[in-house]
Amino acid sequence: MSPQRFLSKSESQVPMTAQALVAHVLESGDFYAAVAVHGIADARQRQRLEERLFGSRRDVLMLARWEHTPANVLDALSRLEHMPLARRVVKHRNTGGSTLKHQFSQSDDPALTGLLALHANTPAPLLLQIAMGDHDQVVLKGLARNPSAQPEVLRLLAQRFPRRFDKEIASHAAVPVDLLATLYHRGDKFVRAAVLAHKHVPEALLLQAAKSTETLILRALVKHPQLPAALVDTLSQHKDNAIRAALATRADLPVHLTARLALDESDSVRRAVACRADLAPTLMQMLAEDHDPWVRQWLGRNPMAGKHVLQKLALDIHEDVRRAVARNPNCPITLLEKLASDHRSWVRAAVAYQPNVTSCLMASLARDSAVDVLSGVAANPHTAPALLKRLVFSEELDVRRGVILNPAAGPEILLPLLQDPYYLHRVMLASSPKLSDQDKWQLRDDPDARVRFALFQWLAARALRPVADRYFYRRKA
Amino acid sequence: MKIVVAVKQVAALDDDFEIRADGLDVDEDFLMYDLNEWDDYSLEEAMKIKEAAAEGAVEVIAVSVGPERVDESLRKCLAKGADRAIRVWDDAMEGSDAVTIGRILAGVVKKEAPAMVFAGVQSSDQANAATGMAIAASLDWPHAAVVAELDYQPGAATARIKRELEGGMLQAVEIDCPAVLTLQLGINKPRYASLRGIKQAAAKPIEHWSLGDLGLDATQVGATAALSRVRRMEIPVKGRAQMIEGTIAEQAAKLIEIIKEYKGEAA
């Protein structure tokens, strides 16, 4: 099919106002488009949309569990009577706070409390109410893990049930600093480790933990940016591999310890060393000879690795090491040219994703038969538009998706993909700012409901934007 | 020559659902329907044979037993390139078991006289893995189950297949044709229907056959003819299983605590 065909305007024009868009949907009777525009409809239109959406019990049940159902539709659903919807609505991640509150006040289903305790949108007073009154340990554990739980909730749980949820509370981002200290002092080693892993752990606790001999505590401590300097040297000789490996990742590791850890008997420690940005050339050369391929692989990915080290690793017997070199952002072009003809497609694919590849090399990679390589060429922003135009018609959907994900692919390249057989590609394009609304309008009759929903959701969001924004957006597009 | 592909529209369940008042099945309002995943592979295998042959040499026919909603799944088969689609239904077929469905599908096969019949190894909702074999039994045709590789030339007297056995073993088999094969997932890479294919499929007719078209009567199908009947459907009572969370050391500590509790020792 000729690409020119896609450049022609669709027969009808995209409705430019919210009212016109909803009117179009009402006329078409499209169920999924109705879900998408429900939030921008006026009261009269909304009533007609709801007649369409809530016409059958089966549709209502489906909407309450469909992952894309927006908050406003879930709210409308929650007000329907004689429907087994409460659990579904409360379980739905898009349900808003006021809807959750309404469900909690209306339903006597005991399971709802547990679901509300877990929900990210449950209003703070409701979470506090659960923390104050509930006794179910499973519910309260879920509450302690809820990222939306505020400090008062955590404090209350720690008071009502000392030690019961201490580890969950210690791991929570919102835990107050003074509570961390309380939890540390009354906790076992697991709770203490969780406290030490917290980014707001008080320095006094770090100093206290430095005296510990408990491995679990030291593992948490060694990852902390404010590790007491005196401890760094001591821990570099600790018998636990995980402690030494964590130490090897620290930016403040003294040079002499880096050299010592580069000779460590544990592979995991040397792997961590191989990633360091401050490796001396002699250490790099030594690690390039390491018997563990993962050490060599991480060294190959290290942007600070020198040309000679990369040249050596590019000849490695393990393909993953050669691939790591090909992925290195500082890999010289001469080396990339060699790796582009590697006998393993996995290595050639890494070259295809490299932003430094010349257009000549990219043209050569575009003739490759391996799908991984072609996907890399398709996704590379430096690939020539002429090559991308060819790859749009690839048989392999991974290659076509590469073009869609390519930040440099313009509308003239993407337009044919509005006809892509794979629905997810059409969904991606329905939400792409690179295509104009008029180009996307051809998706209004798409056979896949998810595509139509994505299109009308995009258009509904556009309808809510100020007119000036829309004008400038169209000009840019 | 013809290849008949037996397909099924399967039901998927959400995690909260209700069982029908008669207790024999899930309330249909809680079910979502789609083409059985295995059948997607069967259709693709038939399409590969069709596309490798001369144009018009192979006709692929998708066949399903079920009510009107099944047309949606058959349209998918047409959109992917099936030449014809047949839906067989009569209210008397309600309650048919796998053997009875096999008998109904065998009736279609007798009328169409294909060189091959493909079916999925099993359906994702009922998992009887019986329909393909029941077709073969009704026809008294050679059959092979769990086919992972197929080498077949249209019109050939035999086909070479590899069957998937326990532990990843493959069993190479030569089978006389016509035969019934049940195909395993992964035998190929099913295609997505093109938009053009979907639009064309919307205009293609789906043939609706009834009992009379197959030379069957109501006594040979449905619940009365079925060799097995659903007595009750239930959600099992939850056991006392508990997920032990935390680090390996924490999990070990918790296990010790539980063992001590069971042994009556102090924690």
Side-chain angles (χ1 to χ4, degrees), chain A residues 189-256:
Chain A
K189 61 185 176 184
F190 303 114
V191 173
R192 289 183 174 197
V195 170
L196 292 169
H198 200 283
K199 65 178 178 180
H200 295 140
V201 61
E203 202 173 340
L205 292 184
L206 292 176
L207 294 171
Q208 210 172 323
K211 294 174 195 151
S212 173
T213 54
E214 179 57 60
T215 304
L216 207 58
I217 301 284
L218 293 174
R219 277 185 195 171
L221 188 64
V222 77
K223 288 177 188 163
H224 206 282
Q226 287 166 359
L227 178 70
L231 208 56
V232 172
D233 200 70
T234 318
L235 290 180
S236 72
Q237 297 184 62
H238 197 281
K239 63 177 189 242
D240 183 67
N241 292 347
I243 289 177
R244 299 197 309 282
L247 201 66
T249 63
R250 294 186 64 88
D252 60 356
L253 191 69
V255 175
H256 72 280

Side-chain angles (χ1 to χ4, degrees), chain B residues 29-160:
Chain B
D29 281 350
F30 291 86
L31 299 174
M32 293 164 286
Y33 295 107
D34 204 352
L35 181 64
N36 182 36
E37 189 182 3
W38 275 265
D39 301 343
D40 224 1
Y41 289 84
S42 302
L43 179 69
E44 181 64 32
E45 202 61 20
M47 289 306 300
K48 280 171 63 185
I49 294 167
K50 173 186 157 89
E51 286 165 356
E55 192 164 345
V58 175
E59 184 181 36
V60 174
I61 307 166
V63 183
S64 192
V65 178
E68 202 174 338
R69 61 174 160 74
V70 174
D71 280 356
E72 191 187 334
S73 293
L74 287 169
R75 288 247 176 261
K76 273 193 177 177
C77 299
L78 289 172
K80 290 185 179 203
D83 298 286
R84 288 165 55 207
I86 301 170
R87 177 168 67 83
V88 189
W89 189 243
D90 188 295
D91 288 343
M93 292 177 186
E94 188 72 53
S96 296
D97 64 357
V99 173
T100 321
I101 296 287
R103 187 181 299 146
I104 296 166
L105 289 168
V108 177
V109 173
K110 279 178 195 161
K111 285 196 78 170
E112 291 293 339
M116 272 288 185
V117 176
F118 293 164
V121 165
Q122 63 177 49
S123 61
S124 58
D125 56 355
Q126 296 289 332
N128 285 314
T131 304
M133 296 306 101
I135 298 171
S138 283
L139 296 166
D140 199 19
W141 277 17
H143 62 266
V146 202
V147 174
E149 282 181 45
L150 170 63
D151 178 7
Y152 171 68
Q153 302 302 319
T158 60
R160 288 182 179 185

Side-chain angles (χ1 to χ4, degrees), chain A residues 430-448:
Chain A
S431 317
S432 168
K434 290 181 187 171
L435 294 178
S436 72
D437 292 350
Q438 193 60 46
D439 289 330
K440 293 175 190 175
W441 189 231
Q442 63 183 276
L443 297 175
R444 69 189 182 279
D445 296 323
D446 196 281
D448 196 295

Side-chain angles (χ1 to χ4, degrees), chain A residues 7 24 29 41-42 50 56 65 84 205 211-212 215 221 226 241 248 253 290 309 356 368 395 410 414 416 442 452 467:
Chain A
L7 292 168
H24 171 90
D42 61 32
E50 288 177 7
S56 80
R65 73 172 166 239
L205 292 184
K211 294 174 195 151
S212 173
T215 304
L221 188 64
Q226 287 166 359
N241 292 347
L253 191 69
D290 200 286
V309 168
N356 306 330
D368 207 292
E395 293 277 304
L414 294 175
Q442 63 183 276
R452 299 196 306 276
V467 174

Side-chain angles (χ1 to χ4, degrees), chain A residues 1 57-58 61 65 84 87-88 91 141 145 167-168 190 216 396-397 418-423 426 446-447, chain B residues 14-18 27-33 189 192-196 198-199 245-247 249-250 253:
Chain A
M1 191 178 292
R57 182 173 181 260
R58 185 179 172 76
L61 288 167
R65 73 172 166 239
R87 286 193 196 187
R88 286 176 185 228
K91 214 187 281 182
K141 194 170 194 172
R145 287 175 173 176
K167 194 181 168 208
E168 286 75 20
F190 303 114
L216 207 58
E396 294 287 345
L397 63 89
L418 286 170
Q419 303 274 319
D420 196 286
Y422 187 37
Y423 82 94
R426 305 197 302 277
D446 196 281
Chain B
D14 196 17
D15 55 358
D16 77 85
F17 57 87
E18 290 176 10
D27 182 336
E28 199 163 328
D29 281 350
F30 291 86
L31 299 174
M32 293 164 286
Y33 295 107
K189 191 174 165 189
Y192 288 93
S194 66
L195 291 184
R196 191 168 157 233
I198 293 169
K199 280 173 190 162
E245 295 169 338
T247 63
E250 283 177 289

